[in-house]
């Protein structure tokens, strides 16, 4: 589908990325013809007959774009840093789906002391690479425990000392008796583009990219 030179395919994920990209899609004349929340379809047409939207898992967006199955997409910085962004052109920070990658622990855990003493830290996270390089950079010995969701449960369940996860308001942390102890990086969603498509479909893609830059710059 991404291979057809007269068509463009945009990879998006359901939920906040789709919802927060919607205003930009409307301004671009790429309003989806169906609501992916209600529809079971994974490929949705837009008001522009040459552009289709492909609904994929948030962490799969870079994969579709890297292999050219989608020409462009919207992915969180968390996913891009964790997976690496080789082969992807990242022209625009969309400034949407903003949150922070943090280290969090139970409220009574003495994180600073543990770091100073050089004690080993058990870290539960979906972001094994980001967590590994964060703790390596601090000279902290970290045992990484890979999880796929509900990270907030791990410290109180006794699985780990800390978690590395995304936080926006902090309400989920508080509801689970956790506190943020360190920020690792700010997160927002980026437009990502397949490098080959930029050449083979440049006449279709470049005008859209240019418009997105203008829209993102006006936030
Ligand atoms: P799934 O829910 O299917 O397991 P996911 O958790 O990666 O996948 P979303 O929850 O939709 O999917 O998150 C998609 C992206 O939105 C993340 O990669 C991140 O960049 C951003 N994001 C995640 N949590 C928040 C948050 N609390 N506030 C703002 N943006 C967030
Ligand atoms: Mg989620």
């Amino acid at each position: 589908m991404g291979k057809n030179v007269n068509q463009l395919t945009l990879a998006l994920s359901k939920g906040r990325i789709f919802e927060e990209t919607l205003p930009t899609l409307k301004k671009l004349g790429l309003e989806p013809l169906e609501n992916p929340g209600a529809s079971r379809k994974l490929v949705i047409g837009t008001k522009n007959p040459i552009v289709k939207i492909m609904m994929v898992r948030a962490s799969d967006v870079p994969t579709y774009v890297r292999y050219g199955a989608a020409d462009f997409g919207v992915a969180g910085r968390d996913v891009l840093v964790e997976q690496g962004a080789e082969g992807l052109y990242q022209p625009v920070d969309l400034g949407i789906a903003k949150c922070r990658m943090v280290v969090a622990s139970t409220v009574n855990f003495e994180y600073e002391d543990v770091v100073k003493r050089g004690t080993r830290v058990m870290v539960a996270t979906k972001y094994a690479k980001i967590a590994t390089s964060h703790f390596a950079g601090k000279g902290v010995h970290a045992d990484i425990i890979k999880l796929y969701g509900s990270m907030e449960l791990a410290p109180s369940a006794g699985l780990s000392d800390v978690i590395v996860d995304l936080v926006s308001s902090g309400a989920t942390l508080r509801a689970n008796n956790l506190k943020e102890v360190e920020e690792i990086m700010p997160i927002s969603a980026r437009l990502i583009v397949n490098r080959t498509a930029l050449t083979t479909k440049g006449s279709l893609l470049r005008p859209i990219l240019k418009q997105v830059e203008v829209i993102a710059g006006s936030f």
Side-chain angles (χ1 to χ4, degrees):
M1 186 162 307
K3 316 279 179 188
N4 182 338
V5 291
N6 303 311
Q7 285 276 325
L8 287 177
T9 306
L10 171 65
L12 292 179
S13 55
K14 273 190 190 176
R16 55 171 62 87
I17 297 266
F18 179 83
E19 302 298 335
E20 297 190 28
T21 306
L22 201 49
T24 301
L25 293 178
K26 287 182 180 166
K27 287 179 195 162
L28 293 168
L30 302 179
E31 194 171 342
L33 299 177
E34 278 174 271
N35 173 3
S39 169
R40 286 166 186 267
K41 283 189 193 167
L42 297 176
V43 180
I44 297 172
T46 72
K47 282 202 170 159
N48 181 338
I50 72 162
V51 182
K52 288 193 165 60
I53 296 173
M54 218 180 247
M55 301 306 305
V56 304
R57 192 83 184 258
S59 48
D60 290 335
V61 168
T63 307
Y64 276 84
V65 177
R66 181 174 295 117
Y67 287 97
D71 301 300
F72 59 147
V74 176
R77 184 182 177 203
D78 51 323
V79 169
L80 294 167
V81 174
E82 180 67 17
Q83 298 183 4
E86 301 92 84
L88 299 175
Y89 173 54
Q90 291 184 61
V92 195
D93 180 348
L94 296 170
I96 60 162
K98 280 190 178 180
C99 55
R100 292 168 295 125
M101 179 79 67
V102 307
V103 181
S105 72
T106 47
V107 285
N108 47 22
F109 185 75
E110 311 269 1
Y111 180 69
E112 287 305 327
D113 288 355
V114 166
V115 168
K116 265 190 221 130
R117 283 202 305 270
T119 316
R120 291 190 87 87
V121 183
M122 303 278 280
V123 183
T125 188
K126 182 161 114 176
Y127 302 98
K129 282 196 182 147
I130 293 174
T132 301
S133 75
H134 174 70
F135 288 104
K138 293 168 68 74
V140 171
H141 292 283
D143 293 314
I144 308 292
I145 301 167
K146 169 82 179 175
L147 290 181
Y148 295 90
S150 301
M151 263 79 77
E152 298 87 355
L153 188 60
S156 54
L159 182 62
S160 69
D161 298 313
V162 301
I163 60 171
V164 166
D165 198 6
L166 300 175
V167 174
S168 46
S169 71
T172 308
L173 289 185
R174 280 191 297 278
N176 290 283
N177 273 310
L178 301 176
K179 62 177 177 185
E180 176 180 337
V181 292
E182 191 174 36
E183 174 165 336
I184 299 179
M185 66 180 91
I187 301 291
S188 57
R190 315 288 162 104
L191 188 71
I192 57 174
V193 184
N194 177 273
R195 288 187 178 276
T196 307
L198 207 53
T199 312
T200 57
K201 303 186 183 184
S203 59
L204 300 179
L205 259 177
R206 285 183 190 279
I208 296 175
L209 301 188
K210 213 172 248 176
Q211 266 180 288
V212 175
E213 273 169 40
V214 173
I215 295 166
S218 70
F219 284 152

